[in-house]
Amino acid sequence: MFEERLKEVQDAVEAAMQAAIAAFPQSDLRDAMAYAAQGGKRLRAFLVLESARIHGLTDAQAMPAALAIEALHAYSLVHDDMPCMDNDDLRRGLPTVHRKWDEATAVLVGDALQTLAFELCADPVLGDAAHRIELVKALAVGSGAAGMVYGQALDIAAETAAAPLSLDDIIKLQAGKTGALISFAAQAGAILAGADRAPLAAYAKALGLAFQIADDILDVEGSEETAGKRLGKDADAGKATFVSHLGLAGAKARAAELVAEAVAALEPYGPAAERLRDAARFVIARDK
Amino acid sequence: MFEERLKEVQDAVEAAMQAAIAAFPQSDLRDAMAYAAQGGKRLRAFLVLESARIHGLTDAQAMPAALAIEALHAYSLVHDDMPCMDNDDLRRGLPTVHRKWDEATAVLVGDALQTLAFELCADPVLGDAAHRIELVKALAVGSGAAGMVYGQALDIAAETAAAPLSLDDIIKLQAGKTGALISFAAQAGAILAGADRAPLAAYAKALGLAFQIADDILDVEGSEETAGKRLGKDADAGKATFVSHLGLAGAKARAAELVAEAVAALEPYGPAAERLRDAARFVIARDK
């Protein structure tokens, strides 16, 4: 049931994303944007569409917001994979943009995908202008110098720090790096509906942390073939992670607790939020 | 008179920009953002504030839009200066971000400044949400894969092209690379006021082209010390420019014609637009 719905979201997002990019003038840049924005779990888009659905909005009414978060996520991956950042050759099972094209293309593709994300937030399909401008603001706060980019900068700074990060530092870093975008995604539906965001914010906070712990576990236990990206990076780099602090069993127990918290936070929405509950369970069960 | 007003805008924009960046959490990233966003002619901010003024809006009411275009411009410079792009060591008389910090910081600073630009467009000070969302849309179109980034990608592609660009190709490239942001800046006031943008769009089209021709002339005739950046790059690279196609005298004559066109386009605004006319004359008289 959850897997079917996720597959449905993946297919709809893929088609809509490629159509949005096809609207740009033909160029190498456009080809590379389409390449970088394809594939992925589309979990963030799923959170947008499901949080919209429990507020009475259809997939079509919320789709530009779902595409916005996926375009923003794709931009961050393209830039993070660059040689001066994480220096990765593989992403979603394919060569990274700077490997398939070059670094200049990777810079420009990331830049253009970020712009596209904000352009999508302005789409009239999303309804009321006041809600769209709230969406722009939430996306900017989540992805900018107080959110994702801030987390990424802390992560890079940590690599040259004298001592490994404490667990509190890692939680702070994670809150920016992956937490901010997941938080945006889960609240997007409430923003578009002009509704109270508090329950979804609580859900997203627990979910984002569980997601990052699961990523750390995957980095240790996962298969590179299934994940479609390089694994074991953190251990190789001697980096402090949830696993290095809590151990594998401890990290799994903490992630399970957080999923229970996330599920509990959805209580106000009743049975309508069942797929969001499934998403939280999926986050720690996934193999990529 | 024009110089005084430009100085006034420079000072106000500098203070407001640094305040906007100071609102982020303390970090190296924030320091580097402040560094990258300082200085410059602030011509784009001037165009925003003056186009707002002729529509009855005060500097304070339009300031976040002026900061937005300057943040976006600064992000584009930081990324364009990177080794994989134009590989420049000097910008606004100071070491470029990747020279003073490193490439990873340059990527993240550019990313965060782009995000900041869109966040600023959402500022309630700018008034009506419908106008703010129009501003977001215009900024995205001007700076994204149909505007500035597209122009930059064409410029890079031209470097490896078999034949030098034709004059028509250069005009097309310029329309994206510098024209799109100038066009946004000049129309911002009309967008914020919900007014007809056509006269300002015509003004901006001529002004943007005149600006690029003046840049090409400056690249040949200017002083690196005054300009605060490396010059003579296009000739060194054997790149086709307005000057290589039209000659110095021909390029100057064409720029002067375009300024006359820009000035004429402002006729509907009467004497209120005098400073925008001065700005057009400044664009071809500047030495940096």
Side-chain angles (χ1 to χ4, degrees):
Chain A
M1 164 86 175
F2 167 74
E3 269 80 10
E4 274 166 38
R5 170 66 175 154
L6 184 60
K7 179 74 175 65
E8 180 183 279
V9 167
Q10 285 168 347
D11 291 345
V13 165
E14 197 63 48
M17 180 70 89
Q18 295 303 325
I21 293 172
F24 289 113
Q26 200 285 314
S27 65
D28 279 358
L29 173 68
R30 190 183 73 177
D31 294 346
M33 285 173 74
Y35 179 86
Q38 72 188 330
K41 292 180 291 292
R42 306 300 192 191
L43 178 67
R44 291 160 186 81
F46 182 96
L47 294 174
V48 170
L49 297 181
E50 283 299 315
S51 70
R53 211 182 47 79
I54 61 177
H55 288 93
L57 301 171
T58 64
D59 284 2
Q61 288 172 313
M63 186 56 80
L67 297 183
I69 188 78
E70 291 291 339
L72 201 104
H73 179 51
Y75 120 65
S76 76
L77 297 178
V78 172
H79 281 184
D80 286 357
D81 285 339
M82 287 183 66
C84 63
M85 306 271 281
D86 292 348
N87 194 22
D88 274 310
D89 297 336
L90 202 61
R91 172 64 65 183
R92 295 173 175 171
L94 294 170
T96 47
V97 172
H98 67 92
R99 295 288 291 173
K100 193 171 164 74
W101 282 271
D102 50 36
E103 289 185 45
T105 302
V107 170
L108 293 175
V109 161
D111 291 347
L113 286 171
Q114 178 175 185
T115 313
L116 175 61
F118 286 102
E119 186 173 354
L120 285 161
C121 289
D123 193 321
V125 164
L126 296 172
D128 194 54
H131 298 159
R132 283 183 278 153
I133 208 77
E134 272 309 305
L135 201 71
V136 167
K137 205 173 135 189
L139 188 63
V141 170
S143 60
M148 180 188 74
V149 171
Y150 177 61
Q152 186 64 18
L154 290 181
D155 198 19
I156 288 175
E159 284 171 22
T160 54
L165 294 182
S166 70
L167 198 56
D168 278 354
D169 287 339
I170 296 174
I171 290 171
K172 192 177 155 194
L173 191 157
Q174 180 284 327
K177 205 176 160 187
T178 59
L181 283 203
I182 287 180
S183 184
F184 168 87
Q187 293 181 61
I191 294 172
L192 288 175
D196 179 24
R197 305 185 206 174
L200 286 170
Y203 164 76
K205 197 178 169 189
L207 182 70
L209 198 50
F211 186 90
Q212 186 59 47
I213 296 176
D215 249 14
D216 286 356
I217 295 169
L218 208 53
D219 196 58
V220 174
E221 286 197 327
S223 141
E224 292 201 348
E225 202 181 345
T226 310
K229 61 183 175 185
R230 185 159 58 95
L231 296 178
K233 291 190 289 188
D234 296 338
D236 289 351
K239 229 157 118 177
T241 67
F242 288 103
V243 173
S244 74
H245 274 285
L246 303 173
L248 256 181
K252 286 180 187 179
R254 182 77 191 105
E257 275 171 31
L258 286 162
V259 167
E261 267 179 47
V263 166
L266 296 174
E267 203 273 322
Y269 306 110
E274 198 49 34
R275 291 202 288 219
L276 285 175
R277 292 185 190 93
D278 285 340
R281 295 175 195 120
F282 165 77
V283 151
I284 59 164
R286 70 201 158 94
D287 57 5
K288 62 180 177 178
Chain B
M1 165 85 174
F2 167 74
E3 268 80 11
E4 277 166 35
R5 171 65 174 153
L6 184 60
K7 178 74 174 67
E8 182 183 277
V9 167
Q10 285 167 347
D11 292 346
V13 166
E14 197 63 48
M17 182 69 89
Q18 295 303 324
I21 293 171
F24 290 112
Q26 200 283 316
S27 65
D28 280 358
L29 173 69
R30 189 183 74 175
D31 294 344
M33 284 173 75
Y35 178 86
Q38 72 188 331
K41 293 180 291 294
R42 306 300 193 191
L43 179 67
R44 292 161 187 79
F46 182 95
L47 294 174
V48 169
L49 297 180
E50 284 298 317
S51 70
R53 212 181 47 78
I54 61 177
H55 289 95
L57 301 172
T58 65
D59 284 3
Q61 289 172 312
M63 186 55 81
L67 297 182
I69 188 80
E70 291 291 338
L72 202 103
H73 179 50
Y75 120 64
S76 76
L77 297 179
V78 172
H79 281 184
D80 286 357
D81 286 340
M82 287 183 68
C84 62
M85 307 271 279
D86 292 349
N87 194 21
D88 274 310
D89 295 337
L90 202 62
R91 172 64 67 183
R92 295 172 175 173
L94 295 170
T96 46
V97 172
H98 67 94
R99 294 289 291 172
K100 195 171 163 74
W101 282 271
D102 50 35
E103 290 184 44
T105 303
V107 170
L108 293 174
V109 161
D111 290 347
L113 286 172
Q114 178 174 187
T115 313
L116 175 60
F118 285 103
E119 185 172 356
L120 285 160
C121 288
D123 193 322
V125 165
L126 296 172
D128 193 56
H131 298 160
R132 284 183 277 152
I133 210 76
E134 273 307 305
L135 202 70
V136 167
K137 205 173 134 191
L139 188 63
V141 170
S143 60
M148 181 187 75
V149 171
Y150 177 59
Q152 186 65 20
L154 290 181
D155 198 19
I156 288 174
E159 283 171 22
T160 54
L165 293 183
S166 69
L167 198 57
D168 278 355
D169 286 340
I170 295 175
I171 290 172
K172 190 177 155 195
L173 189 158
Q174 179 284 326
K177 204 177 162 187
T178 60
L181 283 203
I182 288 182
S183 184
F184 168 87
Q187 293 180 60
I191 294 172
L192 289 175
D196 178 24
R197 305 184 205 175
L200 286 170
Y203 164 79
K205 195 176 172 193
L207 182 71
L209 198 49
F211 186 92
Q212 186 60 47
I213 296 176
D215 250 15
D216 284 356
I217 294 169
L218 208 54
D219 197 58
V220 174
E221 285 197 328
S223 141
E224 292 201 348
E225 203 180 345
T226 310
K229 61 181 175 186
R230 184 158 59 95
L231 297 178
K233 290 189 289 186
D234 295 337
D236 290 352
K239 227 157 117 175
T241 68
F242 288 104
V243 173
S244 74
H245 273 286
L246 302 172
L248 256 180
K252 285 180 185 178
R254 183 77 191 106
E257 276 170 28
L258 285 162
V259 167
E261 265 180 48
V263 166
L266 297 173
E267 203 275 322
Y269 305 110
E274 198 49 33
R275 291 201 286 220
L276 285 175
R277 291 185 191 94
D278 285 342
R281 295 176 194 117
F282 165 79
V283 152
I284 60 164
R286 69 202 160 93
D287 59 3
K288 63 179 176 179

